[in-house]
Amino acid sequence: KQEVTQIPAALSVPEGENLVLNCSFTDSAIYNLQWFRQDPGKGLTSLLLIQSSQREQTSGRLNASLDKSSGRSTLYIAASQPGDSATYLCAGSSSGGYQKVTFGTGTKLQVIP
Amino acid sequence: DTGVSQDPRHKITKRGQNVTFRCDPISEHNRLYWYRQTLGQGPEFLTYFQNEAQLEKSRLLSDRFSAERPKGSFSTLEIQRTEQGDSAMYLCASSGRDATDTQYFGPGTRLTVL
């Protein structure tokens, strides 16, 4: 059974700082890993998806990496802005016929102006 | 088509009442998922449809819960005899025919059971 853990649960940084969010998973037979953003009381917005054959994906100021052997993924946010304040969730998909997704509990990020 | 939509966005009900939520996926997506999220937790998988077939149900989905996707388009999630523990955000997501496609989430329905 896949288990996904995110540490820390909360993070506060000053504006402009580069930061790394961590995600670990127990089942290395992961199909893909996604990073999502969730604003308070809202649904999830997909940020990046890394397939099991890939090692990283980039979108703007965001870079996500995947290391299946160590069971870890990181989300790097460059030059953080107050608008980046949100909860960031990582989710691992199992291999097989469909994407059964297991979410972590999230890291709540606050970027202070 | 602008994305996954869910209705209603908020629902307040009294314990023991039945409630029904609707999800409209992205039109070309054949896969549809329901999740439940409680405060401070990540979403938990409830059930999955491929077209109109319900292919998997979580053990979280007790007998009081039923989900349908009658024509392979929109889906409904019904909770009978609601309990206070059912209070949560119910999220719907859809994805395309390729299993590598990302899941696109709707805004969710927040249920409060008094």
Side-chain angles (χ1 to χ4, degrees):
Chain A
K1 178 187 174 186
Q2 181 73 271
E3 294 183 6
V4 180
T5 305
Q6 292 185 251
I7 296 174
L11 181 63
S12 183
V13 300
E15 180 178 2
E17 192 162 295
N18 302 327
L19 60 101
V20 175
L21 306 180
N22 296 296
C23 171
S24 61
F25 49 91
T26 55
D27 185 359
S28 61
I30 197 166
Y31 193 70
N32 61 43
L33 187 131
Q34 293 180 242
W35 283 92
F36 294 87
R37 169 185 173 139
Q38 187 172 33
D39 292 287
K42 301 291 179 63
L44 279 67
T45 300
S46 178
L47 299 173
L48 290 165
L49 180 148
I50 311 174
Q51 297 180 28
S52 61
S53 58
Q54 299 173 324
R55 292 193 64 84
E56 65 178 314
Q57 283 286 328
T58 298
S59 176
R61 294 183 294 108
L62 306 180
N63 176 276
S65 68
L66 175 64
D67 184 341
K68 290 175 59 179
S69 61
S70 66
R72 293 184 180 180
S73 176
T74 61
L75 179 67
Y76 174 83
I77 302 176
S80 58
Q81 303 171 357
D84 295 331
S85 299
T87 296
Y88 291 81
L89 294 152
C90 72
S93 297
S94 61
S95 57
Y98 73 97
Q99 292 183 46
K100 183 171 182 178
V101 176
T102 302
F103 282 86
T105 53
T107 294
K108 186 174 182 180
L109 173 65
Q110 182 182 24
V111 181
I112 303 168
Chain B
D1 190 296
T2 56
V4 180
S5 61
Q6 293 186 244
D7 184 69
R9 296 291 305 278
H10 304 274
K11 179 70 177 179
I12 300 174
T13 191
K14 292 182 179 180
R15 189 174 52 188
Q17 298 295 305
N18 299 342
V19 294
T20 299
F21 310 141
R22 176 178 170 128
C23 170
D24 286 89
I26 293 172
S27 58
E28 62 268 28
H29 285 178
N30 66 329
R31 298 171 187 241
L32 187 146
Y33 311 80
W34 284 98
Y35 294 86
R36 182 172 69 186
Q37 186 179 26
T38 53
L39 199 62
Q41 301 297 313
E44 295 174 292
F45 169 81
L46 291 179
T47 191
Y48 159 72
F49 289 86
Q50 183 165 313
N51 300 311
E52 66 276 8
Q54 187 176 19
L55 298 185
E56 182 144 346
K57 292 170 59 174
S58 164
R59 277 177 281 182
L60 292 174
L61 220 62
S62 75
D63 291 344
R64 296 184 298 105
F65 288 71
S66 62
E68 294 183 343
R69 195 182 183 198
K71 297 182 179 179
S73 55
F74 72 92
S75 175
T76 58
L77 177 67
E78 180 183 15
I79 309 174
Q80 297 182 325
R81 305 181 303 281
T82 52
E83 302 173 355
Q84 288 186 325
D86 297 331
S87 296
M89 175 80 89
Y90 290 84
L91 294 163
C92 175
S94 70
S95 67
R97 295 184 180 276
D98 182 349
T100 63
D101 278 0
T102 189
Q103 292 188 19
Y104 294 87
F105 280 77
T109 294
R110 180 165 295 282
L111 173 66
T112 301
V113 182
L114 302 175

